[in-house]
Amino acid sequence: MAITLRFGAADLLHCRFAVSPMFETLSAVRLLSPREGVGPHRRWLDTLDTRGLDLRPIALLQPRRGYTPDFLSPPPVSPHARFQDELAAVAATDHDRVRAEVRRSLADTPGAAESATGRLLLGDPAVVLQTLVALVTQAWEILVEPVWPHVRGLLDADVAFQTRRLAEGGLDRLFAELHPRLRWNNGVLTREYGDDEHRDLRGEGLALVPSAFKWDQVVVIVDPPWQPTVIYPARGLGTLWQPLSTDRHAALGRLIGRTRAALLFSLDEPASTTTLAHRHALAAGTVSEHLSVLRDAGFVSGERHRHEIRYRRTPLGDSALRQRVPTNLRLGLELGAGPGGSG
């Protein structure tokens, strides 16, 4: 199962990068669900005060596997989109489109349409749209706006890096290294896993949108009338909330090296070498070297998953993050008998 996008000659001239504060807001809302993996965003979540914030209607329209209404986050038309401008576009959505896309989204979650929130969302589309616009505004103001300059800096850095990569090697270089889930071959861009869809671009080109809060997936928008869009996790996400948030994590960084400590911290869920390299803005060879040291020390282990090896923390690695490294190992590390390096 895969989504494929076929490029023609004209499409090569109409690829562009953009950033969407609206999409970042919706993705931030998703991370509030206890069913979601939070990846590198645990420190951000720990700073939030969401008392009195009820975002269930937005959350219900974002199934883990399924359709999220496109009208809630249309592809940005500007490389420097402002939240207020994107919100105005959402508020102007045709009511028939609101009704159709809400129904399609709720159908992907068993029982959603029959729930109290689902019944609310299936009401008068004008009222539904007004409610969603108000909730998205609340979510932006509480979740994202306070950290937006920091997040925007990461996204802009990704765009600058990818633009240089495009200039140096063309689309072959860009798509070959944009994200591990993307494959580029003979004019066809493929997103592995998920839905089974295909679209010939026919001169429309492609919008490429880096994301901070959609940290673990590549999203592809193919439905008209939107320009085909690929939303991918921004490069360097593992550095977004640095410095390390507590004294004990900083101490671990001094013990085994900041890079190894950051890699160890980010393995709340298994990840491959290429994924970690993208997340931490490191060369794959550098990550592989650090993982080998962590593995030899017993902090991580690797398991084969299809064509790749995914690494996870061991109980010893978990203990290290909780500052309960056994004394004999700690002394060995400090004396240089075990993993070291400044990272």
Side-chain angles (χ1 to χ4, degrees):
M1 303 288 285
I3 295 178
T4 57
L5 302 171
R6 181 175 296 278
F7 286 65
D11 298 302
L12 305 182
L13 304 176
H14 293 93
C15 290
R16 62 185 180 88
F17 287 94
V19 168
S20 173
M22 178 65 72
F23 185 85
E24 293 304 291
T25 301
L26 292 178
S27 298
V29 171
R30 184 192 289 269
L31 292 180
L32 299 182
S33 169
R35 299 188 302 274
E36 291 290 326
V38 299
H41 297 298
R42 171 56 60 193
R43 299 167 204 160
W44 164 75
L45 280 170
D46 289 344
T47 69
L48 298 178
D49 182 0
T50 58
R51 289 173 294 183
L53 185 64
D54 185 356
L55 300 174
R56 283 177 292 180
I58 300 176
L60 193 61
L61 292 174
Q62 297 191 86
R64 176 65 178 173
R65 292 288 182 267
Y67 174 74
T68 295
D70 290 331
F71 78 83
L72 280 176
S73 58
V77 298
S78 164
H80 305 291
R82 300 188 312 146
F83 176 80
Q84 293 78 7
D85 295 334
E86 292 192 302
L87 187 69
V90 172
T93 304
D94 178 80
H95 293 167
D96 288 339
R97 176 174 293 277
V98 172
R99 180 186 292 109
E101 292 192 2
V102 165
R103 288 184 180 277
R104 178 181 172 186
S105 179
L106 293 177
D108 281 342
T109 303
E114 292 74 33
S115 68
T117 302
R119 292 195 298 271
L120 172 69
L121 290 168
L122 292 172
D124 182 346
V127 176
V128 170
L129 182 59
Q130 185 178 27
T131 299
L132 292 173
V133 166
L135 290 176
V136 170
T137 302
Q138 279 187 281
W140 161 257
E141 292 173 349
I142 294 174
L143 304 180
V144 180
E145 188 177 25
V147 297
W148 181 241
H150 193 49
V151 172
R152 181 62 194 252
L154 178 84
L155 301 179
D156 286 346
D158 177 273
V159 170
F161 178 86
Q162 306 300 351
T163 301
R164 289 196 301 272
R165 180 180 276 171
L166 176 64
E168 293 169 358
L171 289 179
D172 286 348
R173 172 78 183 279
L174 174 68
F175 288 142
E177 302 179 18
L178 188 63
H179 190 269
R181 284 200 173 181
L182 293 171
R183 297 287 182 269
W184 172 253
N185 182 47
N186 196 28
V188 176
L189 184 65
T190 301
R191 196 283 308 270
E192 297 180 342
Y193 312 122
D195 299 330
D196 192 15
E197 299 184 66
H198 174 80
R199 182 163 171 178
D200 290 330
L201 299 186
R202 303 183 187 280
E204 298 168 283
L206 186 69
L208 294 160
V209 181
S211 175
F213 291 105
K214 180 61 72 175
W215 66 275
D216 62 339
Q217 298 180 48
V218 175
V219 176
V220 182
I221 298 175
V222 296
D223 291 343
W226 318 114
Q227 181 183 18
T229 301
V230 170
I231 302 165
Y232 61 94
R235 181 177 181 270
L237 269 176
T239 68
L240 180 58
W241 307 117
Q242 286 183 347
L244 295 173
S245 59
T246 65
D247 290 342
R248 68 178 183 272
H249 292 144
L252 181 64
R254 292 194 297 271
L255 183 65
I256 67 174
R258 288 182 57 84
T259 300
R260 289 172 193 162
L263 290 170
L264 190 64
F265 188 89
S266 71
L267 285 173
D268 286 338
E269 297 183 1
S272 68
T273 300
T274 51
T275 296
L276 290 169
H278 181 86
R279 188 178 298 166
H280 292 271
L282 296 168
T286 300
V287 172
S288 180
E289 180 181 346
H290 285 307
L291 287 174
S292 293
V293 174
L294 292 171
R295 184 189 60 218
D296 291 346
F299 286 172
V300 303
S301 63
E303 297 177 359
R304 180 163 293 281
H305 183 82
R306 296 191 177 93
H307 60 280
E308 64 186 13
I309 295 177
R310 294 184 180 178
Y311 291 86
R312 65 169 67 241
R313 280 199 305 268
T314 63
L316 179 61
D318 289 332
S319 295
L321 292 183
R322 294 193 297 268
Q323 198 69 4
R324 289 203 290 269
V325 180
T327 301
N328 61 338
L329 176 58
R330 186 182 301 118
L331 290 173
L333 290 170
E334 291 168 346
L335 293 171
S342 63

